[in-house]
Amino acid sequence: MSDEQHQNLAIIGHVDHGKSTLVGRLLYETGSVPEHVIEQHKEEAEEKGKGGFEFAYVMDNLAEERERGVTIDIAHQEFSTDAYDFTIVDCPGHRDFVKNMITGASQADNAVLVVAADDGVAPQTQEHVFLARTLGIDELIVGINKMDLVDYEEAKYKEVVSEVEDLLKQVQFNTDDAGFIPISAFEGDNIAEESDNTPWYDGEILLEALNNLEPPEPPTDAPLRLPIQDVYTISGIGTVPVGRVETGILSTGDNVSFQPSDVGGEVKTVEMHHEEVPKAEPGDNVGFNVRGIGKDDIRRGDVCGPADDPPSVAETFQAQIVVMQHPSVITDGYTPVFHAHTAQVACTIESIDKKMDPSSGEVAEENPDFIQSGDAAVVTVRPQKPLSIEPSSEIPELGSFAIRDMGQTIAAGKVLSVNE
Ligand SMILES: Nc1nc2c(ncn2[C@@H]2O[C@H](COP(=O)(O)OP(=O)(O)OP(=O)(O)O)[C@@H](O)[C@H]2O)c(=O)[nH]1
Ligand SMILES: [Mg+2]
């Protein structure tokens, strides 16, 4: 790794629009994946009847992903440009795996939205953009992909750009923070080099746009918060929780606490990229080992923090939410699943306290009987199982969530206050 600044970049968009292919292409063009590996993937893809997936296979490592030709879980890859060291989080587009996309987007500073030129805005384009905005993505680069399938036509490009602009306005994403580029991930147009196929386009190519992203906000000076993604048992080491440091520093010798499991101990080792390190900072994906902690003591969804400033566990919390889609109306007592950092917990909306005017943010109604699609509201929420979550004003990284029910994202929101 160089001394460049770091960016976590999520790749989002509808299923099959070419996200994994774009990541594979970027890694190839920046020299992170050698040509012979792409050749091997090409042979494997053709054997599986999935010709054309050679770049996507760079990211899709699971056997099931390769057989089906879809991304299921988020995958991380590193690559560097002149300006940044990037950690790319390739998100699945398929609607069954939106919960994994939420984890991916909540780890990212900025995002590339991939929209296939021959398909335009599709359901998960909309869902991902909404979530990206609510989960705190700052800037969006919009790659209008598969330009080769529409003969690199400017008119088609403009049509899809205006569809996406309408969508951004709808979810109140500032269009000044979005840039559009016509690309073909598969053919390599406007990724690392200006393409001859789009003479009508003279804006930035993708690598330029990535270099010109604003540096991420400096991490808050909040205490350590490290949501646990998985817990492994590794011979010779023992129990190894893994996850991403969201805020603060994790150092060997620290006394830490896992909440809501409510266990703790001293950090013995911290490992990053298979190497032992003395400490880890915000953005680092780590595995670590804590004295006295066994595999069954902690689980995915726990948050690790300092023993003297442990993660909050909510009895109830108040939150501001925006309802994206619900077939009928939401009333008191509704109990969908909340996805916050790596946790998924059923929570009851105990009361709907205020309905807000989404454009002005002013209170439109106190204690409304119900809310529905498009409404913004302040609600009081009671988790059905212990949930560690923080006020967004104190630790924004641990203060946002998505609400899912019936296989779709119903709403997303931010925590206003926590009642422990
Ligand atoms: N012609 C053409 N095909 C493309 C392009 N980009 C991707 N594809 C094809 O589109 C299909 C899907 O590509 P993926 O990269 O797996 O799409 P994805 O967005 O990662 O899909 P999920 O992860 O399952 O949501 C593959 O057959 C790719 O070869 C492109 O620029 N042009
Ligand atoms: Mg994919």
Side-chain angles (χ1 to χ4, degrees):
M1 292 273 262
S2 55
D3 314 321
E4 313 293 351
Q5 282 219 54
H6 195 254
Q7 283 262 1
N8 287 291
L9 187 71
I11 313 293
I12 61 177
H14 192 71
V15 65
D16 256 2
H17 279 200
K19 297 174 293 297
S20 300
T21 301
L22 178 63
V23 179
R25 167 63 72 177
L26 274 171
L27 294 172
Y28 171 68
E29 297 285 352
T30 53
S32 316
V33 174
E35 183 150 14
H36 72 89
V37 172
I38 302 285
E39 282 300 321
Q40 277 166 12
H41 289 329
K42 187 171 176 175
E43 279 170 30
E44 184 186 338
E46 277 166 7
E47 275 166 25
K48 291 194 155 73
K50 287 282 166 199
F53 273 86
E54 53 264 36
F55 287 105
Y57 275 16
V58 172
M59 299 309 287
D60 295 341
N61 293 312
L62 303 176
E64 191 188 349
E65 292 181 319
R66 292 189 172 184
E67 297 290 345
R68 290 175 58 181
V70 295
T71 304
I72 294 174
D73 208 349
I74 53 170
H76 297 88
Q77 278 282 357
E78 314 276 330
F79 81 97
S80 300
T81 65
D82 299 341
Y84 292 112
D85 285 330
F86 282 97
T87 297
I88 287 215
V89 191
D90 181 27
C91 297
H94 194 284
R95 60 190 155 79
D96 291 353
F97 311 122
V98 170
K99 60 180 191 300
N100 296 336
M101 177 277 171
I102 292 167
T103 310
S106 62
Q107 295 174 350
D109 308 305
N110 295 301
V112 176
L113 170 68
V114 177
V115 186
D118 62 332
D119 200 20
V121 167
Q124 274 66 51
T125 316
Q126 194 173 4
E127 192 166 4
H128 285 193
V129 166
F130 171 79
L131 287 167
R133 197 209 60 147
T134 316
L135 298 173
I137 296 279
D138 295 324
E139 277 185 79
L140 207 56
I141 297 172
V142 186
I144 308 295
N145 191 32
K146 306 199 187 184
M147 284 302 297
D148 54 303
L149 293 184
V150 297
D151 298 328
Y152 299 98
E153 264 182 39
E154 183 179 17
K156 188 70 205 176
Y157 170 72
K158 286 193 159 153
E159 183 188 317
V160 179
V161 166
S162 95
E163 269 179 39
V164 177
E165 280 176 340
D166 287 348
L167 168 63
L168 295 181
K169 283 187 202 126
Q170 213 181 344
V171 302
Q172 293 162 44
F173 198 105
N174 189 348
T175 40
D176 294 343
D177 291 331
F180 295 85
I181 310 175
I183 59 172
S184 168
F186 191 69
E187 300 293 342
D189 295 288
N190 293 329
I191 309 285
E193 272 174 52
E194 230 171 88
S195 168
D196 294 336
N197 294 317
T198 53
W200 41 265
Y201 176 76
D202 60 4
E204 288 173 335
I205 60 168
L206 185 63
L207 274 179
E208 279 172 351
L210 293 177
N211 271 333
N212 290 336
L213 284 169
E214 290 282 324
E217 300 256 312
T220 52
D221 48 12
L224 172 70
R225 291 294 183 261
L226 194 177
I228 303 307
Q229 205 160 335
D230 263 309
V231 183
Y232 296 105
T233 306
I234 295 180
S235 62
I237 303 180
T239 301
V240 177
V242 302
R244 180 178 119 122
V245 179
E246 291 294 342
T247 56
I249 307 284
L250 176 76
S251 306
T252 52
D254 282 356
N255 240 316
V256 295
S257 156
F258 294 84
Q259 295 298 340
S261 284
D262 201 24
V263 292
E266 186 196 325
V267 178
K268 283 198 296 187
T269 55
V270 180
E271 220 182 79
M272 189 159 68
H273 304 302
H274 309 288
E275 271 171 41
E276 261 192 44
V277 292
K279 63 173 187 154
E281 300 176 348
D284 290 344
N285 287 294
V286 295
F288 58 110
N289 176 254
V290 175
R291 199 178 299 277
I293 298 287
K295 184 162 167 57
D296 298 328
D297 297 334
I298 53 175
R299 54 197 54 81
R300 180 184 169 103
D302 274 341
V303 180
C304 176
D308 58 5
D309 191 358
S312 317
V313 179
E315 169 93 23
T316 60
F317 61 92
Q318 204 177 37
Q320 172 147 14
I321 64 170
V322 180
V323 184
M324 181 173 72
Q325 50 183 349
H326 192 279
S328 57
V329 295
I330 294 174
T331 54
D332 294 355
Y334 179 50
T335 306
V337 177
F338 280 55
H339 293 247
H341 53 86
T342 57
Q344 296 170 26
V345 173
C347 299
T348 301
I349 298 190
E350 211 164 53
S351 59
I352 304 172
D353 306 324
K354 292 170 191 163
K355 190 161 112 177
M356 325 295 287
D357 178 341
S359 51
S360 67
E362 313 221 317
V363 177
E365 193 182 344
E366 300 276 353
N367 303 308
D369 292 335
F370 65 88
I371 47 175
Q372 57 192 349
S373 299
D375 285 344
V378 173
V379 295
T380 300
V381 180
R382 181 176 295 273
Q384 295 299 307
K385 278 192 333 194
L387 169 65
S388 177
I389 199 158
E390 309 282 352
S392 178
S393 57
E394 285 168 31
I395 312 185
E397 293 81 354
L398 272 285
S400 61
F401 56 84
I403 303 177
R404 299 209 7 111
D405 190 16
M406 298 169 290
Q408 56 187 351
T409 302
I410 300 295
K414 286 185 193 326
V415 178
L416 300 174
S417 60
V418 173
N419 174 20
E420 293 199 51

